[in-house]
């Protein structure tokens, strides 16, 4: 940007006693580089920032949330590489060129804030959280010590306290925000293992017996990733069968625990899921907790998706028994719409187990003789060093809206899911996979050419090819985004995720009309 960089041409420096009056001094040059004055004038970038914010408001906020605009401007990777000119060169580009670069970045990106984006477990524009993200980026704090992030350290503590209250931990607990729900689940596995075999931290896997853990066949793939990453081994993750609704079968869990013990293995943890990724199923936490207490196993609840139901008096029953969990993962960036990423990991333990498990006691950060209470230096609980204050994204939004408004958003999203399910049942050519329990609506679209076929291998084989074609057509048209997938032996079906309060009944009707229009010739 013009004026942002400048060469040092003077040996004038500002007087510390009187900053307004420079004083003459001899130039200091090292390795032919003058060091007397700054080479970057940050204030010269102010005009660029103002122009940039105008473009963001117009293109990434107004247009991106306008139902009349496209969800995406689809281009192939080869086309996009050509359009964006991604090569990095020795010389910088002009301000006008850079402004065009990020206009293009916005134009060709998927607008996940669009009212007709239903593809992932997050969606919609949340202005308060977005502003919080801007503030974080402007201040560039890192949340390892109170001395460098005093405000955000206290904000994280306040948010975690409120979330633990909603879980039902009356005596509080401990926790940390981290880089995503997968990381939260990895934390849970590591913490559960540490409680079982604390010597592993110093002596490694040779200090441990064969450890095994249990989770439903519907769980998030991060559970297996955690086992691989931590050296437990994916073969030591026992997948417990689920019922027809995708819920873990408790009797099968206990059978596998006993089987593992008979093999000489040491069970140490059970992962229950509150809101599975595909079906939106909630495992029976209360019954699973009984089994965990009986066998002295750590109970972790992956509530990354379903945790938002805890803010709703009408729907919190879905997580009945969660207060008995040893740890909980919950992502406010999903149903609660905080900006990415915003992921909390919480433990019921209050004996500093989280810190003891992960602490490395770096003396350059976590000095014990500081002039303030060092218990506010939370970084030694984390496997990260640098860590963004993600809790601020949900805190500012929660302060602005209040718990009642968050509750109404959750209730409305689930009511909208019910509306869509009822509409699917009314329409010829549409068939529900099952009645939704949460905000996941799974259904097939059966084109007219297949509607006369009876249920059987021929129908399912042909139907399996329908959803991918419709998905391709909607992406290239840019009209909306809805995900699809197979599930077990079931042919590809659509999975609608409803979150945003921007979404209306008319959008639900549009989705079904559009799928029919895009696929009726198949």
């Amino acid at each position: 940007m013009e004026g942002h960089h400048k060469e040092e041409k003077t040996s004038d420096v500002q007087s510390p006693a009187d900053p307004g009056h420079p004083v003459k001094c001899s130039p200091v040059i090292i390795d032919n580089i003058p060091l007397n004055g700054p080479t970057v004038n940050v204030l010269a970038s102010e005009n660029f920032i103002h122009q940039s914010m105008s473009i963001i408001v117009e293109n990434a906020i107004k247009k991106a949330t306008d139902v009349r605009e496209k969800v995406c401007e689809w281009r192939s990777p080869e086309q996009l590489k050509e359009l964006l000119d991604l090569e990095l060169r020795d010389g910088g580009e002009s301000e006008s060129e850079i402004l065009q670069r990020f206009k293009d970045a916005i134009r060709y990106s998927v607008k996940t804030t669009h009212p007709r984006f239903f593809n992932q477990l997050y969606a919609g524009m949340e202005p308060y959280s977005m502003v919080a993200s801007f503030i974080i980026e402007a201040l560039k704090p890192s949340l390892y010590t109170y001395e460098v992030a005093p405000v955000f350290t206290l904000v994280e503590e306040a948010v975690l306290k409120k979330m633990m209250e909603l879980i039902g931990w009356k005596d509080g607990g401990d926790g940390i925000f981290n880089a995503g729900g997968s990381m939260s689940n990895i934390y849970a596995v590591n913490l559960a293992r540490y409680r079982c075999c604390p010597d592993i931290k110093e002596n490694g896997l040779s200090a441990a017996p064969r450890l095994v853990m249990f989770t439903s066949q519907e769980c998030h793939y991060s559970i297996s990733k955690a086992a691989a990453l931590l050296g437990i081994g994916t073969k030591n993750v026992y997948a417990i069968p689920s019922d027809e609704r995708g819920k873990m079968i408790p009797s099968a869990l206990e059978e596998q625990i006993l089987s593992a013990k008979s093999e000489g293995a040491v069970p140490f943890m059970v992962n229950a899921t509150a809101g599975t990724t595909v079906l939106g199923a909630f495992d029976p936490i209360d019954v699973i907790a009984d089994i965990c207490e009986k066998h002295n196993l750590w109970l972790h609840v992956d509530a990354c998706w379903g945790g938002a139901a805890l803010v709703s008096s009408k729907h919190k029953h879905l997580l009945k028994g969660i207060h008995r969990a040893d740890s909980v993962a919950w992502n406010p960036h999903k149903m609660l719409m905080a900006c990415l990423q915003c992921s909390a990991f919480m433990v019921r333990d209050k004996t500093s187990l989280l810190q003891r498990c992960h602490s490395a006691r770096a003396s350059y950060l976590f000095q014990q003789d500081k002039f303030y209470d060092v218990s506010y230096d939370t970084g030694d609980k984390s496997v990260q060093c640098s860590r963004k204050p993600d809790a601020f994204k949900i805190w500012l939004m929660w302060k602005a809206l209040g718990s009642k408004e968050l509750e109404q958003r959750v209730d409305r999203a689930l009511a909208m899911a019910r509306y869509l399910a009822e509409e699917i049942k009314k329409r010829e050519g549409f068939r529900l996979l099952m009645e939704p329990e949460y905000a996941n609506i799974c259904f097939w679209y059966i084109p007219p050419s297949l509607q006369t076929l009876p249920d059987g291998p021929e129908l399912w084989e042909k139907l399996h090819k329908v959803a991918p074609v419709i998905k391709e057509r909607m992406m290239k048209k840019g009209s909306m985004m809805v995900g699809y997938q197979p599930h077990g032996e079931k042919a590809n079906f659509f999975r609608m995720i409803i979150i945003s309060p921007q979404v209306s009944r008319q959008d639900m009707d549009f989705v079904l009309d559009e799928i029919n229009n895009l696929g009726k010739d198949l």
Side-chain angles (χ1 to χ4, degrees):
M1 61 197 73
E2 292 85 4
H4 187 64
H5 295 274
K6 66 176 184 180
E7 294 183 8
E8 291 179 282
K9 296 181 180 179
T10 177
S11 58
D12 288 356
V13 295
Q14 290 187 342
S15 165
D18 188 0
H21 293 82
V23 296
K24 295 287 185 180
C25 66
S26 301
V28 175
I29 299 175
I30 297 178
D31 295 336
N32 293 319
I33 299 173
L35 304 179
N36 276 39
T39 59
V40 175
N41 181 1
V42 176
L43 293 180
S45 65
E46 186 177 345
N47 181 58
F48 172 77
I49 293 171
H50 280 301
Q51 290 186 72
S52 301
M53 291 305 297
S54 294
I55 293 169
I56 290 169
V57 170
E58 184 61 32
N59 295 280
I61 298 177
K62 287 183 180 178
K63 287 185 178 179
T65 58
D66 188 340
V67 75
R68 297 167 297 181
E69 298 285 339
K70 290 184 177 182
V71 176
C72 68
E73 188 78 46
W74 177 258
R75 295 291 187 276
S76 70
E78 293 73 23
Q79 292 171 322
L80 205 50
K81 286 177 184 178
E82 186 69 27
L83 285 165
L84 296 179
D85 184 15
L86 298 169
E87 184 181 349
L88 300 173
R89 302 178 178 87
D90 290 342
E93 295 183 340
S94 69
E95 184 175 292
S96 60
E97 287 175 310
I98 294 301
L99 290 171
Q100 187 58 49
R101 295 293 181 217
F102 80 72
K103 283 181 185 177
D104 290 341
I106 294 170
R107 177 181 177 183
Y108 297 113
S109 291
V110 173
K111 312 305 187 295
T112 65
T113 56
H114 193 283
R116 290 174 182 168
F117 176 85
F118 305 104
N119 209 67
Q120 254 68 46
L121 301 182
Y122 65 90
M125 172 68 70
E126 187 13 81
Y128 299 107
S129 190
M130 182 180 63
V131 169
S133 298
F134 288 169
I135 293 170
I136 289 168
E137 297 304 328
L139 294 176
K140 287 175 62 176
S142 188
L143 205 63
Y144 28 62
T145 62
Y146 179 83
E147 65 182 289
V148 295
V151 171
F152 300 114
T153 297
L154 299 181
V155 162
E156 182 176 68
E157 180 184 61
V159 174
L160 289 169
K161 180 176 182 291
K162 184 65 175 180
M163 294 175 77
M164 287 187 279
E165 286 176 5
L166 290 171
I167 289 169
W169 294 344
K170 296 179 180 178
D171 297 326
D174 200 0
I176 198 166
F177 274 74
N178 59 79
S182 291
M183 275 304 304
S184 293
N185 290 337
I186 291 170
Y187 269 107
V189 176
N190 199 39
L191 206 59
R193 183 178 67 174
Y194 179 78
R195 189 192 70 162
C196 178
C197 302
D199 290 344
I200 286 179
K201 181 177 179 180
E202 293 185 358
N203 299 325
L205 297 178
S206 61
R210 180 189 158 213
L211 297 172
V212 296
M213 51 193 287
F214 307 86
T215 189
S216 87
Q217 62 188 33
E218 300 287 331
C219 77
H220 192 262
Y221 64 85
S222 59
I223 301 300
S224 291
K225 281 200 170 189
L229 181 67
L230 297 172
I232 292 167
T234 56
K235 288 186 177 179
N236 292 317
V237 180
Y238 286 37
I240 309 302
S242 300
D243 63 19
E244 69 282 354
R245 293 198 57 83
K247 300 171 182 288
M248 185 193 294
I249 301 173
S251 60
L253 169 63
E254 185 146 37
E255 285 175 16
Q256 293 221 33
I257 292 170
L258 295 172
S259 175
K261 287 181 175 180
S262 71
E263 297 168 3
V266 177
F268 74 102
M269 172 186 175
V270 175
N271 172 69
T273 308
T276 59
T277 304
V278 177
L279 302 179
F282 288 74
D283 288 340
I285 299 171
D286 231 0
V287 182
I288 293 170
D290 289 338
I291 295 170
C292 288
E293 286 182 5
K294 179 179 177 181
H295 295 279
N296 192 28
L297 303 180
W298 183 281
L299 173 57
H300 173 63
V301 177
D302 175 358
C304 289
W305 173 221
L310 290 170
V311 307
S312 167
S313 56
K314 185 181 297 183
H315 299 290
K316 64 183 180 182
H317 66 88
L318 293 170
L319 297 101
K320 184 176 183 292
I322 194 171
H323 65 284
R324 301 173 65 187
D326 294 289
S327 59
V328 173
W330 178 0
N331 288 1
H333 70 235
K334 292 186 174 176
M335 177 65 82
L336 294 185
M337 295 177 60
C339 285
L340 287 163
Q341 295 175 167
C342 192
S343 304
F345 172 69
M346 294 160 285
V347 292
R348 187 156 45 109
D349 173 86
K350 296 184 69 178
T351 67
S352 301
L353 186 68
L354 187 60
Q355 175 126 355
R356 285 184 281 121
C357 179
H358 298 118
S359 173
R361 298 176 182 172
S363 60
Y364 67 92
L365 271 180
F366 307 117
Q367 305 95 328
Q368 296 304 295
D369 54 358
K370 292 182 178 179
F371 62 93
Y372 60 84
D373 183 353
V374 296
S375 68
Y376 288 101
D377 288 354
T378 59
D380 224 11
K381 299 177 186 179
S382 171
V383 297
Q384 300 168 245
C385 182
S386 299
R387 190 166 61 89
K388 285 192 173 185
D390 293 325
F392 189 57
K393 301 171 192 173
I394 182 66
W395 178 84
L396 193 65
M397 169 186 155
W398 208 322
K399 290 287 282 185
L401 299 175
S403 299
K404 287 296 183 184
E405 175 63 25
L406 294 181
E407 178 177 22
Q408 288 170 16
R409 285 188 178 184
V410 173
D411 289 349
R412 185 179 186 277
L414 269 60
M416 194 68 74
R418 168 53 52 196
Y419 170 82
L420 181 62
E422 293 303 317
E423 287 300 304
I424 287 169
K425 288 188 282 188
K426 294 176 186 176
R427 295 201 182 205
E428 188 175 16
F430 288 85
R431 186 188 303 186
L432 274 178
L433 194 75
M434 62 178 64
E435 294 288 338
E437 186 174 35
Y438 198 47
N440 310 47
I441 305 93
C442 302
F443 62 94
W444 288 284
Y445 170 70
I446 306 170
S449 66
L450 303 182
Q451 290 176 15
T452 57
L453 291 177
D455 284 6
E458 182 183 3
L459 172 63
W460 298 117
E461 182 181 350
K462 290 182 176 180
L463 193 59
H464 189 68
K465 301 174 183 177
V466 169
V469 175
I470 295 176
K471 179 62 180 284
E472 178 184 355
R473 290 177 176 180
M474 75 171 71
M475 289 288 290
K476 290 182 176 178
K477 184 179 178 182
S479 57
M480 61 184 191
M481 278 185 70
V482 180
Y484 76 88
Q485 67 282 303
H487 187 265
E489 299 298 315
K490 294 180 172 66
N492 278 323
F493 55 86
F494 290 105
R495 181 201 65 164
M496 275 277 294
I497 302 296
I498 299 175
I499 296 173
S500 174
Q502 297 163 244
V503 172
S504 68
R505 175 186 62 79
Q506 288 82 359
D507 292 311
M508 300 297 98
D509 296 339
F510 175 85
V511 167
L512 300 183
D513 291 339
E514 184 74 347
I515 287 175
N516 182 61
N517 290 333
L518 294 171
K520 61 187 177 184
D521 64 325
L522 297 177

